[in-house]
Amino acid sequence: MINVNSKVTAYLYNILHFLVDGICALVIFSTLYSTKLDIYVFFIYNIMAFVTQPIFGLLIDKYKNEKIFLLLCLIFIILGLILMNSPIISALLLGLGNSLFHISGGKYVITNTNNDFVSIGVFVSTGALGLAIGRYCNYLYIWIIFATLLFIISLVILLTKKQNIIFNRNEKDIDINVLPIILICSVVFIRSFVGNVFILDFDKEIWMLIMISGAAMLGKILGGVIAKIIGVNKTIVITMVLAAILLVLFNNNFVLSLIGILLFNCSMPLTLYLINKVLNNNEGFGFGLLAAILFPGYLLSMIGFEDIAIYTMIIIGSILSIVFVIISNNKFKEV
């Protein structure tokens, strides 16, 4: 067994998130979507990748073994790669592998960094960039690099000695309040919907699309950093107000729009932090629940909307996000 500090392992999970999402995107967009079954591939992959996460979250909370879930993730991804000539089966396997990884990594990072804002933000951020590179950079050397690093880093994690969990949980039984759960899930739904429905007012090239994903990635990290310094309430107010202004009034300016996207994604680590406070001792389920909420937000965004409707929804969504996060946070008076 390898003796690796738990924080180092958390960093390795951050890199794995980038690689897992990148591998899945490479297969889905370069191979499976090119078939006549693309609509079925879309639904099967996303349902498996997102909707199954609460189920796997419950299981990992019960059995508390992140390595088993990571090992299963690797098995499903390998099988998904082998069976690429069967798009439906490959999409199902890759989606399950992706879901298993997120639960394994999310659970590990949360429990081994004491539900730290920054650590949560970094973990959830790297997938966005991996997804973008996998989707828009279909080159053989990308496949080779991603696959090689994925299996090497996974092997290192699987061979590490089990570390003592340092999460400062509330060991007393607490009554779970449904209202904060609904409010936090609503904020995640809003972020998913607005993030996908928002349209930049100019033609986008591949490098621009990657930069947009990079802005979303940095926003998730920055949200954790700011919250650690000034607290949840001030962070959500400042970032959402500025994001709404930039996305509505300056959507024809690429740089300012990037900043707006960055700021809008700052709520990600806040919602994960708060759901872990609500669902004491159920970090896996909390992580999976918020992941599952992303999918219906994405589906709704696929409906065509007029520009004025989009801008109105950005403003309303920002206001609701501020209100919902503050109410949820004040419930615990943690920060």
Side-chain angles (χ1 to χ4, degrees):
M1 300 296 284
I2 304 173
N3 189 12
V4 178
N5 184 279
S6 60
K7 290 187 177 180
V8 174
T9 305
Y11 293 141
L12 293 178
Y13 265 113
N14 297 338
I15 299 172
L16 276 185
H17 192 182
F18 169 80
L19 296 171
V20 169
D21 280 6
I23 284 284
C24 289
L26 275 168
V27 178
I28 294 295
F29 289 102
S30 68
T31 304
L32 303 189
Y33 272 7
S34 62
T35 70
K36 295 180 180 180
L37 299 172
D38 57 346
I39 186 66
Y40 300 105
V41 167
F42 168 81
F43 279 104
I44 290 174
Y45 174 78
N46 283 287
I47 289 172
M48 292 299 105
F50 291 97
V51 180
T52 62
Q53 285 196 42
I55 300 171
F56 290 140
L58 287 171
L59 291 174
I60 203 170
D61 289 333
K62 180 178 180 179
Y63 296 107
K64 296 178 172 57
N65 193 329
E66 295 89 352
K67 290 184 180 180
I68 292 297
F69 285 77
L70 178 59
L71 179 60
L72 289 172
C73 158
L74 288 176
I75 292 172
F76 280 117
I77 288 179
I78 291 172
L79 291 174
L81 292 172
I82 293 173
L83 297 172
M84 283 192 295
N85 288 332
S86 302
I88 299 298
I89 297 175
S90 180
L92 186 148
L93 292 168
L94 289 171
L96 287 173
N98 191 287
S99 176
L100 286 162
F101 169 77
H102 281 81
I103 291 302
S104 172
K107 175 79 172 181
Y108 186 92
V109 170
I110 292 166
T111 55
N112 285 275
T113 63
N114 200 25
N115 198 25
D116 176 63
F117 283 117
V118 179
S119 299
I120 294 173
V122 172
F123 175 72
V124 297
S125 71
T126 56
L129 188 58
L131 180 62
I133 292 178
R135 180 172 184 175
Y136 302 117
C137 301
N138 180 25
Y139 302 108
L140 178 60
Y141 71 90
I142 296 290
W143 282 78
I144 295 173
I145 292 173
F146 273 40
T148 302
L149 290 177
L150 172 64
F151 295 113
I152 290 176
I153 295 174
S154 296
L155 184 61
V156 170
I157 293 177
L158 291 172
L159 293 177
T160 56
K161 293 181 179 179
K162 186 174 179 61
Q163 301 288 328
N164 292 326
I165 303 264
I166 62 172
F167 192 10
N168 184 24
R169 293 185 177 93
N170 181 356
E171 298 300 338
K172 296 180 180 180
D173 291 334
I174 59 172
D175 295 328
I176 295 179
N177 193 325
V178 176
L179 177 61
I181 297 175
I182 294 174
L183 296 180
I184 294 167
C185 287
S186 298
V187 175
V188 174
F189 176 86
I190 291 169
R191 182 176 62 245
S192 175
F193 172 69
V194 172
N196 286 288
V197 79
F198 175 66
I199 301 173
L200 294 174
D201 195 20
F202 40 78
D203 294 332
K204 296 180 287 294
E205 298 181 16
I206 289 179
W207 68 268
M208 291 183 175
L209 294 168
I210 293 177
M211 288 190 70
I212 291 170
S213 297
M217 170 184 172
L218 291 176
K220 294 167 185 176
I221 298 174
L222 186 62
V225 173
I226 297 174
K228 197 167 185 177
I229 298 172
I230 66 175
V232 169
N233 292 353
K234 292 179 181 178
T235 299
I236 195 67
V237 171
I238 294 172
T239 57
M240 286 298 104
V241 170
L242 291 176
I245 293 173
L246 293 174
L247 294 178
V248 173
L249 299 181
F250 299 97
N251 70 306
N252 60 343
N253 183 293
F254 182 63
V255 175
L256 293 179
S257 294
L258 281 181
I259 297 173
I261 292 169
L262 182 153
L263 292 169
F264 200 82
N265 279 275
C266 285
S267 66
M268 173 69 90
L270 310 186
T271 51
L272 275 169
Y273 171 87
L274 290 173
I275 202 69
N276 291 326
K277 290 296 181 181
V278 178
L279 299 172
N280 188 48
N281 296 326
N282 295 283
E283 307 85 20
F285 176 69
F287 189 96
L289 178 63
L290 297 192
I293 296 298
L294 293 171
F295 187 49
Y298 177 69
L299 286 180
L300 184 61
S301 71
M302 296 174 69
I303 301 174
F305 293 96
E306 297 293 333
D307 287 354
I308 186 64
I310 293 174
Y311 301 143
T312 302
M313 288 184 283
I314 290 174
I315 295 171
I316 295 175
S318 298
I319 294 172
L320 290 178
S321 295
I322 292 171
V323 173
F324 291 169
V325 166
I326 290 176
I327 291 175
S328 301
N329 186 51
N330 289 347
K331 182 70 179 175
F332 299 96
K333 302 185 184 299
E334 289 287 337
V335 289

